[in-house]
Amino acid sequence: MLQEISNERPLSGIRVLELSHLIAGPYCAQMLADEGASVVKVEPPGGELTRKREPMRHVGDEKVAAYYASLNRGKRSVVLDLKNPAGLDVMERLLASCDVFVTNMRVAALERLGLHPQALHQRFPRLIVACISGFGMENADAHTGRAGLAMVAEALSGATGLTRDHSGNPVWCGFALGDITASLSAHAAILLALRQQERHGMGRVIDIGLVECMLPMVSVAMGRVQVEDQACSGFSGSNGFHGVPYGAFPAADGFVNIGVNSDEFWRRLCGAMGRPELGTDARYATYVQRALRQQEVHAITEQYTRAHTRAELTAQLSAADVPVAGILSMNEVITDDYLRERGAVMDVDDGYGGRFVLPADPAWPAQDGVVPRIPRLGEHRDAVLHQELGLPIEEIDRLERSGAFGGAAPQRPAASPVTAASTVTAASTAAVE
């Protein structure tokens, strides 16, 4: 009995409906799916936006987008035309049967469909409605309705201003940090709301804006700027925040990150470089002095790093107890033994017999050996409508004739579909802007 309990995923029995696209909404719902929720992803006719984004993996006449695959494992796909009254009616019935609704569609688009989060809360008081947007739904003032990409949130939170090259110029981080922080915040808020739902039988509207979700990333910088010495705050360089030297440095075969965020680490680095005298040199001995002479410190550090490979630098600096890591390419990340041993990456069935290696859910790494699968477009329509709504096949046929599904026939399941309930997840739709 104890073994059975330990193998059950924590959100088993929770029903989630997803109406979202791109990253923030899909990743949040994917985490819920990884943790055992049954997630139904409602997609528009033709599929969610990322199904069409290159690069694609081609399997015979079929294809699967890496973008879509990275954010939608374990979900069940249902196609609905929400501009068709019959399709919208099916959506309403699915909402009535669910515990959680996840969306990152614009509020104006939701309102046009009669799916405004506050209106849904009135119609379905028990439903948890998680709405993720660029600037938030309430109290957004002049930002109301603006398009909000992750990089916009990163800029407005000050995060991009902290990511600088060695000349002090802001540099975009290169990935959708703002989307993922919003996904994680929404995920945590949903778990708290589920606890309240369990206690009191009531749902709530969760209003998540990308910008405020980025602020915790810069909390220390925000505090420091209010008290730090003006001489340091006015310095223009790659880093006047964590430490000096701190960041990416060239190696003989790529780059490494080195983090010297204390004077003791500086002395250790100097010893590893074969220049121990610099550790107590009055020009560099303290963080403030190194910050004021950052370009000199970078030149000293680069002279050392360029002469060694990433592996050599990692070995030498680790032996000196200086924080260091080789900067890996994505191909190196995929094959990294440490990440595989930690369970940080996992295999995902692409739906056509191939596999993707993708990040596992850090909050609940899968331990049951089940390989989740990417859903084919609309393939779970009949099963979901029959199981969740109790619709007979005759009624589903009638809805198809009425245009509820946009006239697109669902794709058939793969030859070896994953059927474990613990890996069946949410639904999302995209093109309702």
Side-chain angles (χ1 to χ4, degrees), residues 215-395:
L215 289 179
M217 301 291 109
V218 300
S219 58
V220 176
M222 187 181 292
R224 285 186 55 142
V225 75
Q226 299 172 60
V227 298
E228 70 182 350
D229 183 85
Q230 185 61 40
C232 288
S233 64
F235 178 80
S236 178
S238 64
N239 195 290
F241 164 50
H242 285 295
V244 179
Y246 201 104
F249 293 89
D253 62 345
F255 291 84
V256 295
N257 267 355
I258 297 175
V260 174
N261 65 348
S262 74
D263 295 338
E264 176 59 29
F265 280 146
W266 168 247
R267 289 188 287 272
R268 295 176 190 173
L269 174 63
C270 291
M273 292 191 298
R275 305 186 67 180
E277 73 281 0
L278 295 180
T280 55
D281 188 313
R283 295 172 297 171
Y284 312 119
T286 67
Y287 162 73
V288 171
Q289 292 304 316
R290 292 195 302 279
L292 294 174
R293 295 175 175 82
Q294 192 170 167
Q295 292 184 4
E296 295 176 33
V297 174
H298 285 164
I300 293 168
T301 307
E302 286 187 17
Q303 184 179 13
Y304 162 64
T305 60
R306 288 182 184 277
H308 301 280
T309 65
R310 292 177 300 169
E312 290 169 346
L313 291 167
T314 299
Q316 293 172 18
L317 296 186
S318 294
D321 199 25
V322 175
V324 62
I327 297 177
L328 302 185
S329 68
M330 282 296 104
N331 282 328
E332 290 173 318
V333 170
I334 290 169
T335 59
D336 188 78
D337 291 337
Y338 162 74
L339 295 176
R340 179 67 72 170
E341 184 67 23
R342 283 286 298 169
V345 294
M346 62 187 296
D347 292 329
V348 177
D349 186 336
D350 68 4
Y352 298 94
R355 297 287 178 95
F356 282 99
V357 177
L358 295 169
D361 181 348
W364 194 267
Q367 299 175 353
D368 53 16
V370 174
V371 177
R373 187 170 63 80
I374 308 305
R376 296 189 180 194
L377 179 61
E379 71 167 283
H380 301 101
R381 183 194 74 188
D382 294 357
V384 167
L385 298 187
H386 178 69
Q387 294 168 7
E388 304 295 331
L389 303 183
L391 299 184
I393 190 65
E394 294 80 14
E395 175 66 7

Side-chain angles (χ1 to χ4, degrees), residues 18 20 31 34 53 59-60 80 105 114 117 153 157-158 221 227 236 238 242 260 298 308 331 333 410 415 421-422 428:
E18 180 203 332
S20 60
M31 290 187 74
D34 285 341
R53 294 283 177 93
V59 184
L80 291 177
M105 308 306 299
S157 67
V227 298
S236 178
S238 64
H242 285 295
V260 174
H298 285 164
H308 301 280
N331 282 328
V333 170
S422 61
S428 168

Side-chain angles (χ1 to χ4, degrees), residues 189-236:
I190 289 168
L191 297 183
L192 294 174
L194 282 169
R195 180 66 169 142
Q196 291 297 97
Q197 185 189 71
E198 179 183 45
R199 285 176 169 175
H200 307 297
M202 290 293 292
R204 56 167 296 195
V205 175
I206 298 169
D207 180 10
I208 297 287
L210 269 63
V211 180
E212 66 256 24
C213 293
M214 276 299 303
L215 289 179
M217 301 291 109
V218 300
S219 58
V220 176
M222 187 181 292
R224 285 186 55 142
V225 75
Q226 299 172 60
V227 298
E228 70 182 350
D229 183 85
Q230 185 61 40
C232 288
S233 64
F235 178 80
S236 178

